[in-house]
């Protein structure tokens, strides 16, 4: 039986770091409030010359190098993003061009903070169907450019970045993966695209990111544990056997609550949101790459992933490293 294995990881971060104290210079906020309510201390923001595309390219390049796969072997590029600079061409096509992935098709996928999970699932479907053997899956975001920087309830949360995984059809790897959506709850977390006037419609200005933080919090702490239980029930593994849990990095209080509800030790939950904030679709592959580079992921380790975000969307995956 063929499944999907992560054989290489990479990541990229903007050069500029913004601390909580930096934010408190132009916002009515404090390091203490942000740390205690979110766990975030610093985040990186894309500056001049940096974009969703440049971050995706850098992360993808490093993942290719780490995997040892040649550019010609990549048959598909899938980029999960909700902050592309362009309607088209896709970030995926830009990555294909920059990395010389001459034998790949390329496309983007939008599922907000669940984007990487959804992209991994999509890559898996192409792999198990026999359509592709090797896929470059990237999560890349510059959400800082969709935010109202005078809204202290949202702008302190997000950071920019990208993470990438080269995945290949092999005999071991992904054990189970699932994804869900609830479009009826779309209003709790929104960012509109900018539209121009037409001869028959007046101009509709794009709205920056808006969020009902408490509704998102309630959704995450209820849905993520349920989704993980649903996932595990489809496998012959137990939560006790899991070595690492890699959740979407939104808020340390969400992570603590999920650990408690699953009766799992918090030490198994990897965290980097203190340094990078919420990087949306990039958060899971960014964290996986950090863990991989630090040698924390050993061959055969059981790794549980779960993403959740706007849409609403959520998903989980269990894999053997
Ligand atoms: N600094 C200081 N005070 C603030 C700030 C800030 N940055 N932001 C909000 N406040 C104030 C509010 O104005 C409010 O003041 P008031 O009582 O005078 O009206 C007070 O703090 C409490 O506001 P709440 O919104 O109730 O604060 P809460 O404890 O819910 O924390 C937060 C807000 C951190 C957003 C929380 O709801 C949360 O983490 N929600 C989860 C959402 C999330 O993580 N979203 C990330 C994106 S979504 C995703 O990735 C899936």
């Amino acid at each position: 039986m063929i499944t999907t294995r992560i054989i290489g990881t990479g990541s990229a971060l903007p050069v500029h770091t913004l601390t909580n104290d930096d934010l408190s210079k132009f916002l009515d906020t404090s390091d203490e409030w942000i740390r205690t309510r979110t766990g975030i201390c610093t985040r990186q923001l894309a500056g001049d010359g940096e974009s969703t595309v440049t971050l995706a390219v850098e992360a993808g390049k490093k993942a290719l190098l780490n995997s040892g796969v040649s550019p010609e072997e990549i048959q598909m590029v899938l980029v999960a993003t909700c902050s592309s600079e362009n309607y088209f061409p896709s970030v995926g096509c830009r990555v294909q061009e920059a990395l010389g992935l001459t034998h790949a098709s390329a496309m983007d996928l939008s599922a907000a903070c669940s984007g990487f999970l959804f992209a991994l699932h999509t890559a898996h479907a192409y792999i198990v169907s026999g359509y592709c053997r090797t896929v470059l899956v990237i999560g890349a975001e510059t959400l800082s450019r969709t935010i109202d920087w005078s809204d202290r309830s949202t702008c302190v949360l997000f950071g920019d970045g990208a993470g990438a995984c080269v995945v290949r059809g092999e005999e071991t790897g992904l054990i189970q993966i699932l994804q869900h959506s609830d479009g009826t709850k779309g209003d709790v977390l929104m960012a509109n695209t900018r539209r121009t006037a037409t001869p028959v419609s007046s101009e509709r200005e794009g709205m920056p990111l808006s969020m009902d933080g408490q509704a998102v919090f309630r959704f995450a702490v209820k849905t993520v544990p349920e989704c993980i239980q649903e996932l595990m029930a489809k496998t012959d593994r137990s939560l006790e056997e899991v070595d690492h849990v890699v959740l979407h990095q939104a808020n340390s209080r969400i992570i603590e609550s999920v650990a408690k509800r699953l009766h799992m030790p918090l030490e198994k939950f990897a965290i980097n949101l203190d340094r990078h904030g919420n990087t949306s679709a990039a958060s899971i592959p960014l964290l996986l790459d950090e863990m991989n580079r630090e040698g924390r992921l050993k061959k055969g380790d059981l790794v549980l992933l779960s993403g959740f975000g706007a849409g609403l969307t959520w998903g989980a995956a269990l894999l053997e490293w």
Side-chain angles (χ1 to χ4, degrees):
M1 278 281 284
I2 288 297
T3 186
T4 299
R5 182 172 198 86
I6 296 176
I7 59 165
T9 64
S11 61
L13 289 163
V15 295
H16 296 283
T17 293
L18 209 69
T19 66
N20 293 342
D21 284 335
D22 292 335
L23 286 166
S24 67
K25 286 179 190 142
F26 60 92
L27 277 176
D28 181 12
T29 190
S30 66
D31 178 53
E32 203 266 333
W33 194 97
I34 301 170
R35 269 178 205 262
T36 51
R37 301 284 180 123
T38 71
I40 298 165
C41 306
T42 61
R43 72 285 292 144
Q44 287 71 42
L45 303 188
D48 293 344
E50 291 173 320
S51 66
T52 303
V53 169
T54 65
L55 294 167
V57 167
E58 190 184 332
K61 189 175 184 177
K62 289 179 181 165
L64 268 183
L65 271 174
N66 183 244
S67 70
V69 158
S70 70
E72 296 75 35
E73 289 175 74
I74 300 292
Q75 290 168 305
M76 179 174 283
V77 186
L78 265 173
V79 179
T81 185
C82 54
S83 49
S84 172
E85 285 79 32
N86 306 311
Y87 292 114
F88 47 79
S90 65
V91 180
C93 283
R94 291 293 202 206
V95 171
Q96 180 196 16
E97 177 203 20
L99 300 183
L101 309 177
T102 44
H103 296 151
S105 66
M107 60 181 174
D108 292 356
L109 185 153
S110 165
C113 304
S114 313
F116 178 77
L117 244 299
F118 279 45
L120 182 64
H121 201 171
T122 307
H124 181 57
Y126 275 96
I127 286 170
V128 295
S129 67
Y131 189 78
C132 290
R133 175 149 191 260
T134 312
V135 181
L136 177 59
V137 185
I138 300 175
E141 304 280 16
T142 50
L143 271 181
S144 68
R145 289 173 179 165
T146 73
I147 287 169
D148 173 357
W149 281 95
S150 64
D151 176 8
R152 65 178 181 174
S153 65
T154 55
C155 75
V156 303
L157 303 174
F158 296 94
D160 302 331
C165 292
V166 175
V167 300
R168 190 165 66 190
E170 292 197 1
E171 279 170 15
T172 57
L174 203 53
I175 295 167
Q176 190 60 253
I177 185 163
L178 50 84
Q179 66 185 53
H180 293 294
S181 305
D182 179 2
T184 66
K185 306 248 169 48
D187 289 352
V188 302
L189 188 49
M190 293 189 82
N192 295 352
T193 47
R194 193 165 282 274
R195 317 293 284 186
T196 53
T198 76
V200 294
S201 111
S202 54
E203 185 171 359
R204 285 174 290 156
E205 274 294 308
M207 285 278 293
L209 191 143
S210 63
M211 176 181 75
D212 178 344
Q214 291 186 4
V216 176
F217 197 96
R218 284 193 301 273
F219 149 72
V221 299
K222 179 173 184 292
T223 313
V224 172
E226 285 174 0
C227 180
I228 289 174
Q229 301 281 16
E230 181 192 353
L231 176 91
M232 295 307 291
K234 292 176 189 286
T235 75
D236 57 0
R237 306 299 186 96
S238 70
L239 282 177
E240 289 76 48
E241 292 174 73
V242 170
D243 297 292
H244 311 277
V245 188
V246 180
L247 297 189
H248 166 52
Q249 301 287 295
N251 185 312
S252 56
R253 288 190 295 138
I254 292 177
I255 295 174
E256 284 156 17
S257 173
V258 171
K260 204 166 161 193
R261 285 179 192 226
L262 291 173
H263 305 292
M264 291 182 76
L266 192 56
E267 300 72 58
K268 286 193 177 182
F269 287 70
I271 290 197
N272 67 2
L273 65 83
D274 52 331
R275 287 173 285 131
H276 309 313
N278 178 346
T279 57
S280 187
S283 79
I284 291 176
L286 180 59
L287 184 47
L288 277 177
D289 180 53
E290 287 186 0
M291 295 169 77
N292 192 22
R293 278 187 286 119
E294 289 162 11
R296 286 157 66 193
L297 297 168
K298 307 270 182 285
K299 192 169 162 41
D301 275 1
L302 217 49
V303 184
L304 181 60
L305 313 177
S306 183
F308 50 93
L312 297 172
T313 54
W314 63 99
L318 184 69
L319 56 94
E320 204 178 273
W321 194 256

